[in-house]
Coordinates of all heavy atoms in Angstrom, one line a residue:
M1 N -64.2 26.7 -31.2 CA -65.0 26.5 -32.3 C -65.9 25.3 -32.1 O -65.3 24.2 -31.5 CB -64.2 26.4 -33.6 CG -65.1 26.3 -34.9 SD -64.0 26.3 -36.3 CE -63.6 24.6 -36.5
Y2 N -67.1 25.2 -32.5 CA -68.0 24.0 -32.2 C -68.9 24.0 -33.4 O -69.2 25.0 -34.1 CB -68.7 24.0 -30.9 CG -69.4 25.3 -30.6 CD1 -70.8 25.3 -30.9 CD2 -68.9 26.3 -29.9 CE1 -71.4 26.5 -30.6 CE2 -69.5 27.4 -29.6 CZ -70.9 27.5 -30.0 OH -71.5 28.6 -29.7
V3 N -69.4 22.7 -33.6 CA -70.4 22.6 -34.8 C -71.7 23.2 -34.5 O -72.2 23.1 -33.4 CB -70.6 21.0 -35.1 CG1 -69.3 20.4 -35.6 CG2 -71.0 20.2 -33.8
T4 N -72.4 23.6 -35.4 CA -73.7 24.1 -35.4 C -74.5 23.9 -36.8 O -73.9 23.2 -37.6 CB -73.7 25.5 -34.9 OG1 -75.2 25.9 -34.7 CG2 -73.1 26.4 -35.9
V5 N -75.4 24.6 -36.9 CA -76.2 24.5 -38.2 C -76.4 25.9 -38.8 O -76.7 26.8 -38.0 CB -77.6 23.8 -38.0 CG1 -78.4 23.9 -39.2 CG2 -77.5 22.4 -37.5
K6 N -76.2 26.0 -40.0 CA -76.4 27.4 -40.7 C -77.6 27.3 -41.5 O -78.0 26.3 -42.1 CB -75.2 27.6 -41.6 CG -73.9 27.9 -40.8 CD -72.8 28.7 -41.6 CE -71.6 28.7 -40.8 NZ -71.6 29.5 -39.5
V7 N -78.4 28.5 -41.5 CA -79.7 28.6 -42.0 C -79.5 29.5 -43.3 O -79.0 30.6 -43.2 CB -80.7 29.2 -41.2 CG1 -82.0 29.3 -41.7 CG2 -80.7 28.5 -39.9
D8 N -79.9 29.0 -44.4 CA -80.1 29.8 -45.6 C -81.5 30.4 -45.6 O -82.6 29.6 -45.9 CB -79.9 29.0 -46.8 CG -79.9 29.9 -48.1 OD1 -80.6 30.9 -48.2 OD2 -79.4 29.3 -49.2
K9 N -81.7 31.6 -45.2 CA -83.0 32.1 -45.0 C -83.8 32.3 -46.2 O -85.0 32.6 -46.2 CB -82.9 33.6 -44.2 CG -82.4 33.2 -42.8 CD -82.7 34.4 -41.8 CE -82.3 34.0 -40.4 NZ -82.7 34.9 -39.4
D10 N -83.0 32.5 -47.3 CA -83.7 32.5 -48.6 C -84.5 31.3 -49.1 O -85.5 31.4 -49.7 CB -82.8 33.0 -49.7 CG -82.2 34.3 -49.6 OD1 -82.9 35.2 -49.0 OD2 -81.1 34.6 -50.2
K11 N -84.0 30.3 -48.5 CA -84.7 28.9 -48.8 C -85.7 28.5 -47.7 O -86.6 27.7 -48.1 CB -83.6 27.7 -48.9 CG -82.6 28.0 -50.1 CD -81.6 26.8 -50.1 CE -80.7 27.0 -51.3 NZ -79.6 25.9 -51.2
C12 N -85.6 28.9 -46.6 CA -86.5 28.4 -45.5 C -87.9 28.9 -45.7 O -88.1 30.2 -45.9 CB -86.0 28.9 -44.1 SG -87.1 28.4 -42.7
T13 N -88.9 28.1 -45.7 CA -90.3 28.4 -45.8 C -91.0 28.5 -44.5 O -92.2 28.7 -44.4 CB -91.0 27.4 -46.7 OG1 -91.0 26.1 -46.0 CG2 -90.4 27.2 -48.0
G14 N -90.4 28.1 -43.4 CA -91.0 28.2 -42.1 C -91.8 27.0 -41.9 O -92.9 27.1 -41.0
C15 N -91.7 25.9 -42.5 CA -92.5 24.8 -42.4 C -92.6 24.0 -41.0 O -93.4 23.3 -40.6 CB -92.3 23.7 -43.4 SG -90.7 22.8 -43.2
K16 N -91.5 24.4 -40.1 CA -91.3 23.9 -38.7 C -91.0 22.4 -38.7 O -90.9 21.8 -37.6 CB -92.6 23.9 -38.0 CG -93.0 25.4 -37.8 CD -94.2 25.6 -36.9 CE -94.6 27.1 -36.7 NZ -95.8 27.3 -35.9
L17 N -90.6 21.7 -39.9 CA -90.3 20.3 -39.9 C -89.0 20.1 -38.9 O -88.9 19.2 -38.3 CB -90.1 19.7 -41.2 CG -90.0 18.2 -41.3 CD1 -91.2 17.5 -40.7 CD2 -89.9 17.9 -42.8
C18 N -88.1 20.9 -39.1 CA -86.7 20.9 -38.5 C -87.1 21.1 -36.9 O -86.4 20.3 -36.0 CB -85.8 21.9 -38.8 SG -86.4 23.6 -38.9
I19 N -87.9 21.9 -36.5 CA -88.2 22.1 -35.1 C -88.9 20.9 -34.5 O -88.6 20.5 -33.4 CB -89.2 23.4 -34.9 CG1 -88.6 24.5 -35.5 CG2 -89.6 23.5 -33.5 CD1 -89.5 25.9 -35.4
L20 N -89.7 20.3 -35.2 CA -90.5 19.0 -34.7 C -89.4 17.9 -34.6 O -89.5 17.0 -33.8 CB -91.5 18.6 -35.7 CG -92.7 19.6 -35.7 CD1 -93.7 19.2 -36.9 CD2 -93.4 19.6 -34.4
T21 N -88.4 17.9 -35.5 CA -87.4 16.9 -35.6 C -86.3 17.0 -34.5 O -85.8 16.0 -34.0 CB -86.8 16.8 -37.0 OG1 -87.8 16.6 -37.9 CG2 -85.8 15.7 -37.1
C22 N -85.9 18.2 -34.2 CA -84.9 18.4 -33.3 C -85.1 17.8 -31.8 O -86.1 18.0 -31.3 CB -84.6 19.9 -33.0 SG -83.1 20.2 -32.0
P23 N -84.2 16.9 -31.4 CA -84.3 16.2 -30.1 C -84.2 17.1 -28.8 O -84.5 16.9 -27.8 CB -83.3 15.1 -30.1 CG -82.3 15.7 -30.9 CD -83.0 16.5 -32.1
E24 N -83.6 18.4 -29.1 CA -83.4 19.4 -28.1 C -84.5 20.3 -28.1 O -84.8 21.0 -29.2 CB -82.0 20.0 -28.3 CG -80.8 19.0 -28.3 CD -80.7 18.2 -26.9 OE1 -80.9 18.8 -25.9 OE2 -80.4 17.0 -26.9
A25 N -85.0 20.6 -26.9 CA -86.2 21.6 -27.0 C -85.5 23.1 -27.1 O -84.6 23.4 -26.6 CB -86.9 21.6 -25.5
N26 N -86.3 23.8 -28.0 CA -86.0 25.2 -28.1 C -84.6 25.5 -28.7 O -84.2 26.6 -28.4 CB -86.2 26.1 -26.9 CG -87.6 25.9 -26.3 OD1 -88.7 26.0 -27.1 ND2 -87.8 25.7 -25.0
V27 N -84.0 24.7 -29.4 CA -82.8 25.0 -30.0 C -83.0 25.6 -31.3 O -82.4 26.6 -31.8 CB -81.9 23.7 -30.2 CG1 -80.6 24.0 -31.1 CG2 -81.5 23.1 -28.9
I28 N -84.1 25.2 -32.0 CA -84.5 25.8 -33.3 C -85.9 26.6 -33.0 O -86.8 25.9 -32.5 CB -84.8 24.8 -34.5 CG1 -83.7 23.7 -34.6 CG2 -85.0 25.5 -35.7 CD1 -83.8 22.7 -35.6
T29 N -85.8 27.9 -33.3 CA -86.9 28.6 -33.1 C -87.3 29.4 -34.4 O -86.5 29.6 -35.2 CB -86.9 29.6 -31.9 OG1 -85.6 30.4 -32.2 CG2 -86.7 29.0 -30.6
L30 N -88.5 29.9 -34.5 CA -89.0 30.5 -35.6 C -88.9 32.1 -35.3 O -89.4 32.6 -34.3 CB -90.5 30.3 -36.1 CG -90.8 29.4 -37.1 CD1 -92.2 29.4 -37.6 CD2 -89.8 29.4 -38.3
N31 N -88.2 32.8 -36.1 CA -88.1 34.3 -36.0 C -89.5 34.9 -36.3 O -90.4 34.4 -36.9 CB -87.1 34.9 -36.9 CG -85.7 34.8 -36.1 OD1 -85.6 34.7 -35.0 ND2 -84.6 35.0 -36.9
E32 N -89.6 36.3 -36.0 CA -90.7 37.0 -36.5 C -90.9 37.0 -37.9 O -92.1 37.1 -38.4 CB -90.6 38.4 -36.1 CG -90.7 38.7 -34.5 CD -90.2 39.9 -34.0 OE1 -90.0 40.9 -34.8 OE2 -90.1 40.1 -32.8
D33 N -89.8 36.8 -38.8 CA -89.9 36.9 -40.2 C -90.3 35.4 -40.6 O -90.2 35.1 -41.9 CB -88.6 37.3 -40.8 CG -87.5 36.5 -40.4 OD1 -87.6 35.6 -39.7 OD2 -86.3 36.8 -40.9
K34 N -90.6 34.4 -39.7 CA -91.1 33.1 -40.0 C -89.9 32.3 -40.7 O -90.1 31.4 -41.4 CB -92.2 33.0 -41.0 CG -93.4 33.7 -40.5 CD -94.0 33.2 -39.3 CE -95.2 33.8 -38.8 NZ -95.5 33.6 -37.4
K35 N -88.6 32.7 -40.3 CA -87.4 31.9 -40.7 C -86.9 31.3 -39.5 O -87.0 32.0 -38.4 CB -86.5 32.8 -41.4 CG -87.0 33.6 -42.5 CD -87.3 32.9 -43.8 CE -87.7 33.8 -44.9 NZ -88.1 33.1 -46.1
V36 N -86.3 30.1 -39.6 CA -85.7 29.5 -38.4 C -84.4 30.2 -38.0 O -83.6 30.7 -38.7 CB -85.5 28.1 -38.6 CG1 -86.8 27.4 -38.8 CG2 -84.5 27.8 -39.6
C37 N -84.2 30.1 -36.7 CA -83.0 30.5 -36.0 C -82.4 29.4 -35.2 O -83.2 28.8 -34.4 CB -83.4 31.8 -35.1 SG -82.0 32.6 -34.3
I38 N -81.1 29.2 -35.1 CA -80.5 28.1 -34.4 C -79.8 28.7 -33.2 O -79.0 29.6 -33.3 CB -79.4 27.4 -35.2 CG1 -80.0 27.0 -36.5 CG2 -78.9 26.2 -34.4 CD1 -81.0 25.8 -36.5
N39 N -80.2 28.1 -32.0 CA -79.5 28.5 -30.7 C -78.2 27.7 -30.7 O -78.2 26.7 -30.2 CB -80.4 28.3 -29.5 CG -79.7 28.8 -28.3 OD1 -78.6 29.1 -28.2 ND2 -80.6 28.9 -27.3
S40 N -77.1 28.2 -31.3 CA -75.9 27.4 -31.4 C -75.4 26.8 -30.0 O -74.7 25.9 -30.1 CB -74.9 28.3 -32.2 OG -75.3 28.6 -33.4
N41 N -75.6 27.7 -29.1 CA -75.0 27.3 -27.8 C -75.6 25.9 -27.3 O -74.9 25.3 -26.5 CB -75.4 28.3 -26.7 CG -74.6 29.6 -26.9 OD1 -73.5 29.5 -27.4 ND2 -75.2 30.7 -26.5
R42 N -76.7 25.5 -27.7 CA -77.4 24.3 -27.2 C -77.6 23.3 -28.2 O -78.0 22.2 -27.9 CB -78.6 24.7 -26.5 CG -78.5 25.6 -25.3 CD -79.7 26.0 -24.7 NE -80.7 25.0 -24.5 CZ -82.0 25.0 -24.9 NH1 -82.4 26.0 -25.5 NH2 -82.7 24.0 -24.7
C43 N -77.1 23.5 -29.5 CA -77.2 22.6 -30.6 C -76.2 21.4 -30.3 O -75.1 21.7 -30.0 CB -76.9 23.2 -31.8 SG -76.7 22.1 -33.2
K44 N -76.7 20.2 -30.4 CA -75.8 19.0 -30.2 C -75.0 18.5 -31.4 O -74.3 17.6 -31.4 CB -76.6 17.8 -29.6 CG -77.5 18.3 -28.4 CD -76.5 18.6 -27.2 CE -77.4 18.8 -25.9 NZ -76.6 19.6 -25.0
G45 N -75.4 19.2 -32.4 CA -74.7 18.7 -33.8 C -75.1 17.4 -34.3 O -74.2 16.7 -35.0
C46 N -76.3 17.0 -34.1 CA -76.7 15.6 -34.5 C -77.1 15.7 -36.0 O -77.2 14.8 -36.7 CB -77.9 15.1 -33.8 SG -79.4 16.1 -33.9
F47 N -77.5 16.9 -36.5 CA -77.8 17.2 -38.0 C -79.0 16.5 -38.4 O -79.2 16.3 -39.7 CB -76.6 16.9 -38.8 CG -75.4 17.9 -38.4 CD1 -74.1 17.2 -38.1 CD2 -75.5 19.2 -38.3 CE1 -73.1 18.0 -37.8 CE2 -74.4 20.0 -37.8 CZ -73.2 19.3 -37.6
L48 N -79.9 16.0 -37.5 CA -81.2 15.5 -38.0 C -81.9 16.5 -38.7 O -82.6 16.2 -39.7 CB -82.0 15.0 -36.8 CG -81.6 13.7 -36.1 CD1 -82.3 13.4 -34.8 CD2 -81.6 12.5 -37.1
C49 N -81.9 17.7 -38.3 CA -82.6 18.9 -39.0 C -82.2 19.1 -40.4 O -83.0 19.2 -41.2 CB -82.5 20.3 -38.1 SG -80.8 20.7 -37.9
V50 N -80.9 18.9 -40.6 CA -80.3 19.2 -41.9 C -80.9 18.1 -42.8 O -81.4 18.3 -44.0 CB -78.7 19.0 -41.8 CG1 -78.2 19.0 -43.3 CG2 -78.1 20.0 -41.0
S51 N -81.0 16.8 -42.3 CA -81.6 15.7 -43.3 C -83.0 15.8 -43.6 O -83.4 15.3 -44.5 CB -81.1 14.3 -42.7 OG -81.7 14.3 -41.4
V52 N -83.7 16.5 -42.6 CA -85.2 16.4 -42.9 C -85.7 17.7 -43.5 O -86.9 17.7 -44.1 CB -86.1 16.3 -41.6 CG1 -85.8 15.0 -40.9 CG2 -85.9 17.6 -40.6
C53 N -84.9 18.7 -43.7 CA -85.4 20.0 -44.4 C -85.8 19.8 -45.8 O -84.8 19.4 -46.6 CB -84.4 21.1 -44.2 SG -85.0 22.7 -45.1
P54 N -86.9 19.9 -46.2 CA -87.4 19.6 -47.7 C -86.7 20.7 -48.7 O -86.7 20.5 -49.8 CB -88.7 19.7 -47.6 CG -89.2 20.5 -46.4 CD -88.1 20.3 -45.4
K55 N -86.3 21.8 -48.1 CA -85.7 22.9 -49.0 C -84.4 23.0 -48.9 O -83.8 24.0 -49.5 CB -86.5 24.3 -48.4 CG -87.9 24.3 -48.6 CD -88.3 24.2 -50.1 CE -89.8 24.2 -50.1 NZ -90.3 24.0 -51.5
K56 N -83.7 22.1 -48.2 CA -82.2 22.1 -48.1 C -81.8 23.5 -47.7 O -80.7 24.0 -48.1 CB -81.6 21.8 -49.3 CG -81.8 20.4 -49.8 CD -81.0 19.9 -50.9 CE -81.3 18.5 -51.3 NZ -81.9 17.5 -50.5
A57 N -82.5 23.9 -46.6 CA -82.1 25.4 -46.1 C -81.1 25.3 -45.0 O -80.6 26.3 -44.5 CB -83.4 26.1 -45.6
L58 N -80.9 24.1 -44.4 CA -80.0 24.0 -43.4 C -78.8 23.2 -43.8 O -78.8 22.2 -44.6 CB -80.7 23.1 -42.2 CG -81.9 23.8 -41.7 CD1 -82.6 22.9 -40.7 CD2 -81.7 25.1 -41.1
K59 N -77.6 23.6 -43.3 CA -76.3 22.8 -43.5 C -75.5 22.9 -42.3 O -75.6 23.7 -41.4 CB -75.6 23.2 -44.8 CG -75.2 24.8 -44.8 CD -74.5 25.1 -46.0 CE -73.8 26.4 -45.8 NZ -73.0 26.9 -47.1
E60 N -74.6 21.8 -42.2 CA -73.6 21.7 -41.2 C -72.7 23.0 -41.3 O -72.2 23.3 -42.3 CB -72.8 20.5 -41.3 CG -73.7 19.3 -41.1 CD -72.9 17.9 -41.4 OE1 -71.7 17.9 -41.1 OE2 -73.6 17.0 -41.7
G61 N -72.4 23.4 -40.1 CA -71.5 24.6 -40.0 C -70.7 24.6 -38.7 O -71.0 23.7 -37.9
S62 N -70.0 25.7 -38.5 CA -69.3 25.7 -37.2 C -69.1 27.3 -36.9 O -69.2 28.1 -37.8 CB -67.8 25.1 -37.3 OG -67.1 25.8 -38.4
V63 N -69.1 27.5 -35.6 CA -68.9 28.8 -35.1 C -67.8 29.0 -34.0 O -67.4 28.0 -33.6 CB -70.2 29.4 -34.6 CG1 -71.2 29.6 -35.6 CG2 -70.8 28.5 -33.4
Ligands
SF4_1 S1 -87.4 22.2 -42.2 FE1 -86.2 23.7 -43.4 S2 -87.8 25.0 -44.7 FE2 -88.8 23.9 -42.9 S3 -88.6 25.5 -41.2 FE3 -86.8 24.1 -41.1 S4 -85.3 25.1 -42.1 FE4 -87.1 26.1 -42.8
SF4_2 S1 -78.2 19.6 -35.4 FE1 -79.6 18.2 -34.0 S2 -79.5 19.5 -32.0 FE2 -78.7 20.9 -33.6 S3 -80.5 22.1 -34.2 FE3 -80.2 20.3 -35.7 S4 -81.6 18.8 -34.8 FE4 -81.3 20.2 -33.2

């Protein structure tokens, strides 16, 4: 088990702020439905994205 970020797709507006904030390239991507998707294998668990999301669509989680 390791830490990652969980996405509440009902809240995500696709504003991309989390993508711009994430220090790791291509960990957060936008799906075809304009909702973000987290590549959990490469997420470092810094949770910067969680703190910047204006819609509180991201939260700490584990898989
Ligand atoms: S910052 Fe929040 S609302 Fe904006 S794209 Fe990321 S998860 Fe979605
Ligand atoms: S927790 Fe850090 S590394 Fe993981 S997706 Fe968010 S900003 Fe990127």
